Amino acid sequence: MGIIVDLSRAESCLDREELRELRTRAAAVCRNLYEREDKEQVLGWRTRESSVMQLEEIKAKAEEIRERADVFVIVGVGGSNQAARGVIEALPQRRGPEIVYLGNTLSPYTIERTLEKLEGKSVYMDVIAKNFETLEPGSHFRILRQWMGSRYSREEMARRIIVTGTKGSRLEEIGLENGYLFLEFPVPVGGRYSAFTPVGLLPLAAAGLDVDRYLEGMEAALKDCLDNGEDSPAVRYAAVRQLLYRRGYDIEMIVSFEPRYAFFTKWWVQLFGESEGKEKRGIFPAAAVYSEDLHSIGQYMQEGRRNLIETFVSVKDPGASVTVEPCPEYRDGFDYLDGMDFAHINRAAERATWEAHGGGGVPCIRFEADEVSEKTFGELYYYFMAACAVSGELMGVNPFDQEGVEEYKRSMFAALGR
Ligand code: PA5
């Protein structure tokens, strides 16, 4: 079974006829995405052929990393690290290197603490930067290169450094000049749409995850988007959230009762935030981890301004079991839980939240997976990317650019004398 999407609660807040019309338009936008020629060079994420590259090379390098490295450093920011991190942080650690992230901060404290983790360890790194112009990965590559240069020979560094960027970029040249393995970041794939390119694939494989299953998930969702038109979850979700937006719902919170999804929801926030927030428009994306965050924003969700959409990412089988054993002698007031498993308790809390927030006027949406696995991540990533592209185009913005982020960079680079 794939991902099940439940939109009934949100749909019941909307006019049926308007929704029907918008869904038909969303299906047309989706069809057009797949049929049109990629003149702007932004649609490379659509198919396996235009995303997945160098798979055998990636698998071989990942095996070497897993055998020889204690630490694997993923250097990248935004779309260049979030998809991989979303999966790696959610799935159980396999035997193999510790995965460490750099190139995603300018904090000297964090950089120093992270470098400390590398001391005395066998280190490999993958530097991921589409055009190799971004400050964080570019500057950290230099620091890490120098760190490695004082510990490894030139030949050894050539084995241990992988660079992932576009063909023709300075990063590719550095790779060629120094004998580093170069992985291609396809030009027609934007960072936040790069989950199925070498950007996401090498980190996943190096973490010991099953990239074939991950790509199977992608292909299942792609087939669904191609074959099922108006009934595809991507189209239905895009239509519902756009109609909600037109009715004043301009914040969408992605929530999960699984803390392991926290980095996945961070990826989702970036995907929708960078794709839709432009021209003074867009649904503001936010994320919360329940049940913890019910104790901070639960009150607002229940009774605050009614401009919120709440999208649950649920999982049927949490893949773990912890039972509450009876303990009558303590009279702690929690005997009603005796014999219950936390899988049941967590599920009950999720159902109760769904009912309470829905009843309080929040249009609730649910994406439900059978389990947290490489395959379900492949499906979720693909559905959300396709939905985001359709949703952005329905709203009349370009979901593939991010001109706005250049603004702060101009003053920052001026201050740094670039
Ligand atoms: O989605 C995007 O395009 C961005 O979030 C980029 O991924 C991010 O800014 C990093 O860019 P780069 O890979 O060029 O360093």
Side-chain angles (χ1 to χ4, degrees):
M1 280 283 277
I3 303 291
I4 304 289
V5 184
D6 182 355
L7 292 155
S8 54
R9 257 265 150 70
E11 284 172 350
S12 69
C13 305
L14 296 167
D15 179 84
R16 277 180 147 197
E17 192 48 32
E18 281 181 329
L19 183 59
R20 203 188 52 74
E21 274 173 31
L22 199 59
R23 198 189 286 171
T24 306
R25 277 197 50 213
V29 168
C30 187
R31 227 177 6 263
N32 178 265
L33 269 178
Y34 288 100
E35 287 173 2
R36 76 179 185 238
E37 199 192 322
D38 189 11
K39 285 200 189 114
E40 284 87 29
Q41 294 271 285
V42 291
L43 299 174
W45 55 271
R46 287 177 302 187
T47 65
R48 180 172 171 139
E49 293 67 42
S50 51
S51 308
V52 181
M53 316 204 152
Q54 297 165 274
L55 191 54
E56 290 318 309
E57 237 174 319
I58 286 173
K59 286 182 181 172
K61 194 67 186 181
E63 208 164 298
E64 177 190 326
I65 295 169
R66 294 185 55 67
E67 267 167 25
R68 296 189 77 227
D70 301 319
V71 179
F72 179 51
V73 191
I74 300 174
V75 182
V77 69
S80 285
N81 84 353
Q82 304 230 80
R85 192 169 193 180
V87 189
I88 294 169
E89 303 270 346
L91 290 173
Q93 278 284 306
R94 270 81 173 159
R95 177 200 57 80
E98 182 189 354
I99 312 289
V100 159
Y101 300 87
L102 264 181
N104 56 354
T105 180
L106 296 171
S107 153
Y109 179 86
T110 305
I111 301 168
E112 197 174 83
R113 294 290 84 76
T114 312
L115 288 174
E116 277 169 14
K117 286 191 184 180
L118 311 185
E119 230 24 272
K121 306 270 174 62
S122 164
V123 175
Y124 272 65
M125 73 164 152
D126 182 12
V127 181
I128 311 166
K130 188 168 182 186
N131 300 318
F132 197 49
E133 286 165 1
T134 310
L135 175 61
E136 293 89 341
S139 57
H140 291 200
F141 182 25
R142 184 186 291 188
I143 286 172
L144 286 161
R145 220 164 51 224
Q146 289 167 340
W147 187 96
M148 287 173 93
S150 63
R151 287 158 180 86
Y152 299 118
S153 67
R154 209 178 140 74
E155 294 69 41
E156 197 51 37
M157 277 176 73
R159 286 184 120 199
R160 290 169 180 268
I161 299 178
I162 300 105
V163 288
T164 306
T166 45
K167 279 206 161 151
S169 66
R170 179 65 196 134
L171 193 58
E172 183 191 20
E173 288 170 4
I174 292 177
L176 282 172
E177 287 160 13
N178 295 280
Y180 308 153
L181 172 63
F182 171 72
L183 297 179
E184 188 174 342
F185 193 142
V187 173
V189 182
R192 57 190 178 277
Y193 293 87
S194 68
F196 302 107
T197 71
V199 172
L201 296 174
L202 177 69
L204 255 60
L209 301 174
D210 188 337
V211 290
D212 293 319
R213 293 286 288 160
Y214 176 66
L215 293 171
E216 258 176 51
M218 173 225 182
E219 285 187 298
L222 162 62
K223 185 171 176 338
D224 179 68
C225 290
L226 284 172
D227 294 351
N228 291 335
E230 282 191 30
D231 296 325
S232 150
V235 167
R236 293 174 56 218
Y237 172 59
V240 163
R241 66 195 295 285
Q242 277 306 317
L243 193 53
L244 286 167
Y245 177 58
R246 291 175 194 183
R247 298 289 158 267
Y249 294 89
D250 57 7
I251 297 179
E252 183 176 3
M253 178 88 81
I254 190 162
V255 302
S256 175
F257 278 75
E258 283 296 337
R260 62 201 297 205
Y261 272 142
F263 279 93
F264 161 66
T265 60
K266 212 165 140 61
W267 168 86
W268 179 94
V269 165
Q270 188 214 346
L271 176 69
F272 281 91
E274 263 190 352
S275 300
E276 289 190 329
K278 45 198 75 160
E279 298 175 30
K280 310 281 179 282
R281 280 182 270 173
I283 300 175
F284 181 82
V289 175
Y290 290 164
S291 63
E292 185 174 8
D293 289 340
L294 285 173
H295 299 268
S296 59
I297 45 114
Q299 169 63 36
Y300 196 104
M301 296 306 287
Q302 191 65 47
E303 293 183 347
R305 273 185 70 206
R306 296 300 73 177
N307 62 337
L308 298 162
I309 305 167
E310 194 174 26
T311 297
F312 289 69
V313 183
S314 303
V315 59
K316 277 194 193 130
D317 176 3
S321 163
V322 177
T323 306
V324 182
E325 299 298 343
C327 186
E329 64 279 16
Y330 268 71
R331 288 182 285 110
D332 59 11
F334 291 93
D335 293 349
Y336 63 94
L337 298 175
D338 285 0
M340 280 187 206
D341 195 286
F342 271 93
H344 171 75
I345 298 170
N346 202 26
R347 194 78 177 163
E350 181 174 340
R351 291 222 172 97
T353 307
W354 169 273
E355 288 304 327
H357 292 181
V362 178
C364 294
I365 294 171
R366 180 191 291 125
F367 282 76
E368 186 172 63
D370 284 340
E371 55 179 14
V372 184
S373 67
E374 289 91 331
K375 180 156 187 274
T376 56
F377 266 113
E379 282 179 85
L380 282 171
Y381 278 149
Y382 195 86
Y383 276 134
F384 281 126
M385 290 192 314
C388 183
V390 173
S391 180
E393 294 204 349
L394 269 183
M395 199 170 60
V397 297
N398 178 353
F400 306 113
D401 67 5
Q402 61 281 330
E403 292 303 313
V405 294
E406 296 310 314
E407 201 48 47
Y408 85 88
K409 289 186 189 170
R410 270 190 277 279
S411 357
M412 176 181 72
F413 287 138
L416 295 173
R418 180 185 173 196

